[in-house]
Amino acid sequence: MNLSAIIVGPLELGWLEPTGRVPDVLRAWERGALGEVPAGLAWDVVRVPTGTAHATVRRLRAARVPLGPVLATPLGVDFLLAPGSADGWDAPESFRLPDRTLVPLPHPDYAEPRHLGGRSWIVRPTTGALTDGPALRDAYALARVVAEAAR
């Protein structure tokens, strides 16, 4: 597959460059595959349940905090966080992916509802912004409280 055939706009790589994996990821995307990057190098990754992810994103946007990439996966939703900001993560039904866990990433143009390998961006990586761990924890906790109250 020709990468230029799927690119909708300019490709922002600032979020990916610190991983040292840009050439490998671009080659995977050129083949129409997922690029793999280990968590913990350029960003931490926190996985939350799919059911609270969209409400969490809405709360982060409402708080006007920097919002980094958010990836829907078959196992939950992964938030890419500023390095070290998820240290000591302790929130119900969520967890920080261990460092060096390979995170399969679709090309940024695979945004909902378009999927590749069961993965789709809820928030595309269009800038170098990353979410702050404490801001995610607060938004996620509030989204959980509202979801619990609605049951």
Side-chain angles (χ1 to χ4, degrees):
M1 167 183 274
N2 181 350
L3 189 60
S4 62
I6 64 170
I7 294 177
V8 172
L11 188 58
E12 167 59 50
L13 297 176
W15 64 283
L16 192 57
E17 287 173 356
T19 68
R21 298 280 182 102
V22 172
D24 295 334
V25 170
L26 289 177
R27 278 193 293 278
W29 290 347
E30 179 78 29
R31 294 188 320 271
L34 298 167
E36 293 185 329
V37 176
L41 293 180
W43 18 263
D44 294 342
V45 179
V46 167
R47 182 168 293 154
V48 304
T50 303
T52 54
H54 286 280
T56 301
V57 167
R58 283 193 301 276
R59 294 196 177 286
L60 287 164
R61 285 185 170 140
R64 297 181 187 263
V65 298
L67 181 59
V70 180
L71 181 64
T73 79
L75 302 174
V77 174
D78 294 349
F79 285 77
L80 278 58
L81 305 179
S85 72
D87 290 350
W89 182 268
D90 184 24
E93 299 180 26
S94 66
F95 61 95
R96 179 181 184 269
L97 270 61
D99 288 351
R100 298 185 191 1
T101 300
L102 288 179
V103 180
L105 303 172
H107 185 279
D109 286 343
Y110 282 91
E112 288 186 326
R114 192 171 178 216
H115 292 266
L116 177 64
R119 294 172 176 271
S120 181
W121 295 103
I122 293 173
V123 177
R124 292 177 56 213
T126 56
T127 70
L130 294 170
T131 305
D132 180 62
L136 173 61
R137 187 178 291 112
D138 292 347
Y140 173 66
L142 195 49
R144 282 183 42 81
V145 167
V146 170
E148 291 285 325
R151 289 184 197 185

